[in-house]
Every structure is written in structure tokens, then in C-alpha cells.
Amino acid sequence: MLDQRFKADEQVFNVAQGLPVAQERDKGDDSKFWTMYDQVSKEYDDTFLSRGNGDMNIILTFAGLFSAVNSTFIVGMQPNPGETTNVLLLQLIQIAAAPNAVHDISNLSSSTGYPSSTVWMQALAYASLAFSVLAAFGAVMGKQW
């Protein structure tokens, strides 16, 4: 009878060891410290990641808007190809109107010279577009990491 009672007490004790109340009571000061550290570090990491995720969203939005506006300016700064087309059409009309006449085509330039300020502005616009796309790429990589 005493042996059965001992086995029953042992089974109850083993079941009670698995309960959270029993586990919490058996923890020492070191164990409580690491439990608290784990909880605080998890909260800090979650806050840090949510803040970083929000920052990446802002960078993506800004880079997308900046790239769109910058692309619009780049398109607006392109030289007008209509001028060259008009000069060439005028030459063709003159040749068609007088096929036997000698036509001077030396006044047609093979390339149009652009002012250096225009070239610099376009170079800066393309460079800023490249950096904007690079920033968006970095933000996407940061969000997926």
C-alpha cells in the first residue's frame, strides 16, 4: 500500500514539474535575468525592424516619385529632332523641284553642336536618375533582407 502511494505521488510530482507554475518557481536569479533579457531584446528588435521597414517604405516612395519627375525633365531637355527633319525635308523638296540643278548640301551639319551647359545639365539629370534607381534598389534589398 505504501509502495502504491509512493508511485502515485511520484507521478503527480512528475506531472507537476511540467506545469509553468512549477517551472517559474524553480528558476534562479540567472534564469530570471535571461528571461527578462530575452523579452526586452525581442521588444527592441521588433521596434527596430518596424522602424527600419517604415524608413524603407519612405525611401521607396521618394525614389519612385523623384525618378518620375526626373525622367520628365530628361525628356523635356532632349533636343528637338523636328528642326533637323524640317531642314532635310526642305532639301528634298528643293531637289525634287529642280532635279537638274546643282544643290549645295554643305550647309547641312552632320551633327548638331549643343551648348556645354545643356550637356552638363543632361549629365547631371541622368546621374541623379541613376542614383535614385540605385536608392530604390537598395531599399528593396533592405526590405527583403
Side-chain angles (χ1 to χ4, degrees), residues 42-107:
K42 189 174 217 39
E43 289 174 7
Y44 175 79
D45 289 344
D46 290 343
T47 304
F48 179 79
L49 288 176
S50 69
R51 188 175 63 236
N53 194 18
D55 290 347
M56 294 299 160
N57 284 336
I58 291 170
I59 290 171
L60 275 172
T61 303
F62 175 75
L65 290 174
F66 183 77
S67 295
V69 170
N70 197 7
S71 297
T72 304
F73 282 123
I74 288 173
V75 168
M77 285 191 297
Q78 295 299 320
N80 187 3
E83 296 174 9
T84 306
T85 304
N86 289 339
V87 171
L88 290 174
L89 283 173
L90 181 64
Q91 287 292 327
L92 285 174
I93 291 171
Q94 289 174 353
I95 291 172
N100 295 333
V102 176
H103 299 283
D104 183 25
I105 58 170
S106 63
N107 61 351

Side-chain angles (χ1 to χ4, degrees), residues 5-19:
R5 174 82 175 156
F6 180 72
K7 286 184 181 179
D9 287 342
E10 189 175 278
Q11 287 177 344
V12 169
F13 179 74
N14 288 337
V15 170
Q17 284 293 342
L19 296 176

